[in-house]
């Protein structure tokens, strides 16, 4: 059906919904906007679905939330005990998150599937924990993570607490075409409660989650000792981290935690930042100002769903932010060094990171005799490795991270965990202050001295709308058909094409072991590399550049030259 025809059908089908009608009437003279809202259905994949809020098939709204939940319920009803085990549902501070979460719960109830709904907002890792804790068949989180305020999303999880695997996603997508808006209706809330199909959950699960995180403390005695003097500024960036992060700081002994007042309370409009993303230095502006005024050792920020964490440390030249790779390497080194010193490092210890994260992590792991496993981008792949370790006993999971500010050191949660990471960051900061009178900025510099000056640079090309999707496909196709042989004077040693599953080096080819994915990875001379991949959750292509040398200045020069050349290559396409 054409976009304009679908537009008119929505005006008819939802004529009794004044908000939807008003939203659609506002664009009646904007054919481009109508085309963008109706040229496709919002895609449901392994990361769930994410989109701009509004009326339309290509927007996130109660009707699309209801319909995909109804399709999920149909699939769950085909699984043994699925309806009885039920679905755990959480949500963050974004606009409409609470509404979508309740709608999802009541559609499940109407389908005969039990729903366990948090009575207020919670971080993503708490939901992941809850699935396992309550032995649910699945989970849903309403969040768009760190996206701008106009977005929201619907993340789907499966029984192990990790994001939904491909076979379960297929079970839902196969049922979507046959699922109509008309059949995807919610049950009355009181009826659902009376029938035991809706249960509200809260403090008991929170307590169990915090206890599980505290078990991951590497050096609890040190945290209690240094917590009396270490000063921390924290910002939840108007999100769901405020209560659990402050609680974990308090319970491990951090006595001097100061919360940025303007960003403390939940607010889906995120009025103090352009984007609520700890990867963006602008998100730390108020926190850094407060850090400077207090002379705090450490500044910590979490995104709205509290799965990502960013940090800054005070230096002689003012606060300095660390990037995701730097934080990951500092935490990895802290965990491995302390476990080894305490005689707690297992012989089969393993860490997991992604193909677009720094090679420095592998160098650190190797120095401790720890296996480093690389997976595709997305924490679900790290969760898959944890499941593999658990079921086969081949390795013991120590730490997992991705360069986009996501970290995890335990197995009770199967997604990146901002609360877990905040605890480890506070511990690591305590250790460096006590042992060396150094900050975590000094810590990464010490690691560079030991392992080499690894550097990384990420550039994003935002390509929204139908045209953007076509441009992304054009770029990837052109790079495959005519791959560059050199970047900034550095020869391409090998090309990994994760879509075809083949690595090519000269005339030699070998099969890649990771799942198929639309990613191109150029291995360069001198342990440098460039990776190009369309984002799985946003309308953008991401360009990753990494390099290493024996000095900070040389690495910066190499990075800038490689990045400039790669950017020109993509822009020319």
């Amino acid at each position: 059906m054409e976009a304009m025809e679908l537009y008119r059908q929505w005006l008819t089908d939802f004529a009794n919904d004044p908000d939807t009608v008003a939203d659609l009437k506002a664009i009646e003279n904007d054919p481009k906007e109508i085309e963008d809202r109706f040229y496709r259905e919002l895609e449901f994949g392994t990361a769930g679905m994410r989109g701009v809020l509004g009326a339309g098939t290509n927007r996130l709204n109660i009707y699309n939330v209801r319909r995909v939940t109804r399709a999920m319920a149909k699939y769950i009803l085909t699984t043994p005990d699925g309806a009885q085990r039920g679905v755990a549902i959480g949500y963050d501070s974004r606009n409409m998150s609470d509404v979508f979460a309740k709608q999802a719960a009541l559609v499940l109830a109407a389908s005969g599937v039990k729903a366990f709904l948090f009575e207020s907002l919670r971080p993503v890792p708490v939901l992941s924990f809850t699935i396992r804790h309550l032995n649910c068949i699945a989970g849903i989180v309403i969040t768009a993570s760190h996206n701008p305020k106009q977005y929201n999303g619907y993340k789907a999880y499966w029984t192990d607490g990790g994001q939904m695997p491909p076979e379960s996603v297929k079970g839902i997508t196969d049922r979507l075409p046959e699922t109509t808006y008309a059949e995807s209706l919610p049950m009355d809330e009181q009826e659902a409660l009376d029938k035991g199909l809706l249960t509200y959950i809260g403090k008991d699960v929170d307590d169990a989650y915090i206890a599980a995180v505290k078990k991951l403390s590497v050096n609890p005695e040190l945290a209690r000792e240094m917590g009396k003097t270490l000063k921390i500024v924290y910002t939840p960036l108007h999100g769901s981290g405020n209560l659990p992060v402050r609680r974990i700081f308090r319970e491990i002994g951090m006595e001097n935690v100061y919360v940025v007042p303007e960003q403390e309370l939940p607010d889906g409009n995120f009025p103090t930042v352009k984007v609520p993303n700890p990867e963006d230095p602008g998100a730390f502006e108020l926190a850094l100002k407060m850090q400077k005024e207090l002379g705090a050792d450490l500044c910590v920020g979490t995104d709205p769903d509290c799965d990502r964490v960013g940090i800054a440390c005070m230096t002689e030249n003012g606060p300095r932010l660390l990037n995701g790779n730097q934080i990951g390497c500092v935490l990895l080194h802290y965990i491995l060094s302390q476990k080894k010193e305490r005689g707690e490092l297992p012989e089969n210890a393993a860490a997991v990171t992604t193909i677009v994260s720094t090679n420095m992590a592998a160098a650190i792991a190797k120095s401790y005799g720890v296996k480093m496993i690389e997976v595709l981008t997305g924490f679900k792949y790290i969760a898959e490795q944890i499941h593999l370790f658990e079921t086969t006993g081949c390795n013991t999971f120590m730490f997992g991270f991705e360069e986009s500010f996501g970290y995890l050191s335990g197995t009770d949660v199967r997604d990146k965990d901002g609360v877990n990471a905040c605890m480890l960051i506070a511990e690591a900061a305590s250790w460096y202050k006590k042992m060396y009178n150094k900050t975590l900025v000094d810590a990464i510099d010490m690691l560079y001295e030991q392992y080499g000056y690894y550097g990384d640079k990420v550039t994003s090309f935002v390509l929204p709308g139908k045209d953007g999707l076509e441009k992304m496909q054009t770029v990837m196709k052109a790079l495959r058909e005519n791959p560059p042989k050199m970047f900034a004077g550095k020869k391409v040693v090998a090309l990994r094409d994760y879509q075809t599953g083949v690595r090519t080096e000269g005339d030699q080819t070998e099969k890649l072991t990771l799942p198929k994915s639309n990613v191109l990875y150029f291995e360069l001379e001198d342990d440098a590399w460039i990776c190009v991949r369309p984002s799985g959750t946003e309308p953008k292509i991401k360009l990753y550049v990494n390099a290493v040398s024996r000095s900070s200045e040389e690495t910066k020069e190499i990075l800038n030259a490689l990045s400039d050349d790669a950017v020109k290559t993509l822009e020319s396409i």
Side-chain angles (χ1 to χ4, degrees):
M1 199 179 291
E2 292 294 322
M4 186 57 74
E5 193 178 347
L6 276 169
Y7 169 75
R8 294 193 184 103
Q9 184 175 316
W10 269 56
L11 279 169
T12 302
D13 290 350
F14 305 121
N16 293 328
D17 181 346
D19 291 337
T20 295
V21 171
D23 190 13
L24 293 174
K25 285 285 189 184
I27 63 168
E28 62 185 347
N29 297 316
D30 190 344
K32 191 173 181 182
E33 178 68 11
I34 291 172
E35 172 75 13
D36 188 52
R37 289 195 188 202
F38 289 94
Y39 81 92
R40 65 169 187 171
E41 290 184 352
L42 203 60
E43 186 179 354
F44 183 85
T46 53
M49 61 183 184
R50 191 177 296 188
V52 175
L53 292 165
T57 57
N58 188 34
R59 292 290 185 270
L60 202 70
N61 47 65
I62 59 167
Y63 303 110
N64 286 332
V65 166
R66 286 176 180 175
R67 182 168 169 255
V68 78
T69 306
R70 173 66 176 148
M72 181 189 285
K74 288 179 181 179
Y75 174 62
I76 287 171
L77 290 169
T78 69
T79 66
D81 302 322
Q84 184 63 27
R85 290 174 67 184
V87 179
I89 304 170
Y91 61 93
D92 70 2
S93 60
R94 286 184 175 270
N95 294 327
M96 299 296 289
S97 282
D98 55 342
V99 174
F100 292 160
K102 184 175 280 191
Q103 289 291 307
L106 295 176
V107 168
L108 287 168
S111 304
V113 177
K114 280 188 174 182
F116 299 90
L117 176 64
F118 275 102
E119 90 285 353
S120 61
L121 77 170
R122 293 295 191 284
V124 156
V126 175
L127 187 280
S128 175
F129 172 84
T130 301
I131 295 166
R132 298 173 61 79
H133 185 67
L134 297 181
N135 191 33
C136 293
I137 189 71
I140 298 166
V141 185
I142 307 298
T143 176
S145 191
H146 56 288
N147 282 59
K149 64 181 180 181
Q150 61 266 34
Y151 282 82
N152 211 328
Y154 181 111
K155 290 179 77 172
Y157 290 76
W158 202 233
T159 183
D160 71 333
Q163 287 182 42
M164 194 165 275
E167 60 271 20
S168 300
V169 171
K170 188 175 186 301
I172 295 169
T173 54
D174 284 351
R175 288 164 176 79
L176 267 174
E178 68 185 38
T179 303
T180 65
Y181 292 117
E183 72 175 278
S184 308
L185 297 176
M187 181 180 276
D188 174 75
E189 182 180 357
Q190 191 57 53
E191 183 185 355
L193 288 166
D194 292 344
K195 290 182 173 178
L197 289 166
L198 173 63
T199 301
Y200 282 101
I201 50 178
K203 187 177 183 302
D204 289 350
V205 172
D206 293 334
D207 292 345
Y209 166 74
I210 291 293
V213 173
K214 283 167 68 179
K215 283 192 305 183
L216 303 174
S217 174
V218 179
N219 205 333
E221 305 88 357
L222 177 70
R224 282 192 292 273
E225 177 191 343
M226 297 303 293
K228 294 176 172 58
T229 57
L230 193 80
K231 277 188 184 179
I232 302 173
V233 168
Y234 170 60
T235 172
L237 294 177
H238 306 288
S240 61
N242 185 35
L243 297 181
V245 170
R246 291 169 74 174
R247 180 176 174 182
I248 202 70
F249 280 150
R250 183 172 65 251
E251 293 196 13
I252 66 167
M254 295 293 126
E255 297 179 8
N256 302 292
V257 177
Y258 305 86
V259 180
V260 178
E262 300 94 331
Q263 297 173 331
E264 178 180 0
L265 299 180
D267 189 334
N269 291 316
F270 309 114
T272 63
V273 292
K274 286 183 181 176
V275 285
N277 186 356
E279 295 178 75
D280 177 18
F284 276 91
E285 193 175 321
L286 289 172
L288 293 177
K289 182 172 178 284
M290 189 172 179
Q291 183 183 22
K292 205 168 183 179
E293 288 169 356
L294 292 171
D297 302 91
L298 188 60
C299 176
V300 182
T302 53
D303 64 347
D305 58 343
C306 193
D307 59 357
R308 285 175 166 84
V309 183
I311 65 174
C313 295
M314 189 58 68
T315 72
E316 290 179 359
N317 301 316
R320 180 176 140 193
L321 291 157
L322 272 66
N323 67 30
N325 278 322
Q326 292 171 329
I327 298 168
C329 285
V330 166
L331 293 182
L332 175 66
H333 180 265
Y334 169 69
I335 291 167
L336 298 186
S337 65
Q338 290 301 287
K339 292 279 188 186
K340 185 165 186 177
E341 188 176 302
R342 296 163 74 94
E344 298 170 359
L345 190 62
E347 285 187 13
N348 66 346
V352 189
T353 189
T354 67
I355 59 171
V356 297
S357 299
T358 177
N359 289 350
M360 187 179 187
I364 293 170
K366 185 180 179 182
S367 70
Y368 285 94
V370 171
K371 185 177 184 180
M372 176 59 74
I373 296 168
E374 283 192 352
V375 296
L376 291 175
T377 309
F379 227 86
K380 61 180 175 286
Y381 296 112
I382 296 176
E384 283 177 3
Q385 291 297 314
I386 297 172
H387 182 69
L388 178 68
F389 298 168
E390 200 170 56
T391 53
T392 66
C394 61
N395 290 105
T396 300
F397 178 73
M398 305 306 297
F399 187 61
F401 84 94
E402 54 187 7
E403 53 75 40
S404 54
F405 291 65
Y407 318 97
L408 179 70
S409 70
T411 60
D412 290 314
V413 170
R414 299 298 167 92
D415 207 342
K416 45 190 176 283
D417 187 343
V419 183
N420 173 193
C422 283
M423 179 187 73
L424 291 174
I425 287 164
E427 275 197 29
S430 297
W431 187 72
Y432 276 98
K433 184 168 185 177
K434 179 182 169 83
M435 300 301 294
Y436 304 103
N437 196 27
K438 301 281 189 185
T439 69
L440 295 185
V441 164
D442 299 316
I444 191 65
D445 289 338
M446 290 165 70
L447 293 179
Y448 286 150
E449 286 287 337
Q450 185 175 352
Y451 295 102
Y453 285 82
Y454 287 82
D456 57 276
K457 195 169 184 178
V458 182
T459 306
S460 294
F461 299 82
V462 180
L463 302 163
K466 186 179 180 182
D467 293 346
L469 198 62
E470 291 170 356
K471 283 177 185 173
M472 282 194 269
Q473 291 168 349
T474 299
V475 168
M476 298 306 288
K477 184 172 183 285
L479 286 173
R480 281 192 172 89
E481 290 177 350
N482 189 24
K485 301 288 190 291
M486 192 171 286
F487 288 96
K490 283 196 181 292
K491 185 181 173 185
V492 176
V493 176
L495 173 62
R496 301 182 211 165
D497 185 343
Y498 287 96
Q499 186 155 284
T500 61
V502 174
R503 178 182 180 272
T504 305
E505 183 174 358
D507 298 330
Q508 303 296 311
T509 61
E510 62 178 302
K511 284 189 177 180
L512 296 167
T513 58
L514 298 184
K516 300 280 178 75
S517 184
N518 190 13
V519 178
L520 289 170
Y521 188 107
F522 299 88
E523 298 177 24
L524 309 178
E525 296 174 296
D526 304 321
D527 204 21
W529 55 265
I530 289 172
C531 185
V532 185
R533 60 174 283 269
S535 170
T537 55
E538 300 168 85
K540 63 173 64 169
I541 280 185
K542 297 186 88 169
L543 170 70
Y544 303 82
V545 181
N546 274 243
V548 61
S549 76
R550 293 311 305 176
S551 77
S552 174
E553 294 73 19
E554 186 183 353
T555 298
K556 282 178 186 173
E557 285 178 18
I558 297 169
L559 269 182
N560 289 333
L562 288 174
S563 181
D564 289 348
D565 197 6
V567 166
K568 283 177 188 173
T569 301
L570 266 65
E571 285 178 343
S572 69
I573 300 171

